[in-house]
Amino acid sequence: REDKLVLNLVGQLLEEGQRDNMLFQKQGNIDTDDVVGTWRLLYTTSSAMKFNQGLSGIGGSFPNGKFGGLTQSFSANKFMSDVEYKEHIEVTPSSASFDVTVDGNWELR
């Protein structure tokens, strides 16, 4: 039910924001420079994220630990394209909270 609601809302946003949406402006022909930057995950329907209680699964393995957010930083030059995922794990007390970093590479297909 939640997935259908989100898809409906995304559809409405796409209809309303097509003029300002880079993907529509470029008719799907985005390039590497369009993706480079830091992005914060707002919502996911990923069953793996739900099962693991985050990207790494570490948050659920700590007492009082939980997923506290994810940022993705994409960088690129003519030789390589790197990505850094930074997952925040919230723990009680908050002074014990920490970040998990996962590095990788990426490409547009």
Side-chain angles (χ1 to χ4, degrees):
R1 294 180 193 173
E2 183 179 285
D3 292 349
K4 287 182 182 180
L5 176 62
V6 169
L7 288 174
N8 184 30
L9 290 172
V10 167
Q12 290 176 13
L13 288 171
L14 289 175
E15 288 174 15
E16 295 172 9
Q18 286 185 11
R19 293 185 310 262
D20 301 325
N21 187 309
M22 182 186 304
L23 188 61
F24 285 101
Q25 289 174 356
K26 293 189 166 195
Q27 298 179 334
N29 296 316
I30 60 172
D31 57 32
T32 302
D33 289 337
D34 296 327
V35 178
V36 168
T38 299
W39 302 81
R40 185 170 49 99
L41 179 69
L42 298 179
Y43 181 83
T44 182
T45 58
S46 167
S47 58
M49 287 278 289
K50 288 178 185 176
F51 178 80
N52 291 322
Q53 299 177 29
L55 178 70
S56 66
I58 291 175
S61 65
F62 278 82
N64 300 316
K66 67 178 184 174
F67 176 74
L70 179 75
T71 57
Q72 309 168 83
S73 297
F74 295 93
S75 61
N77 60 41
K78 66 181 185 176
F79 301 109
M80 64 179 139
S81 300
D82 295 323
V83 61
E84 177 185 86
Y85 297 98
K86 190 168 282 191
E87 177 182 19
H88 186 69
I89 307 297
E90 294 179 354
V91 181
T92 304
S94 61
S95 61
S97 297
F98 59 95
D99 291 334
V100 175
T101 302
V102 178
D103 295 319
N105 58 8
W106 66 279
E107 66 178 309
L108 289 177
R109 296 187 206 184

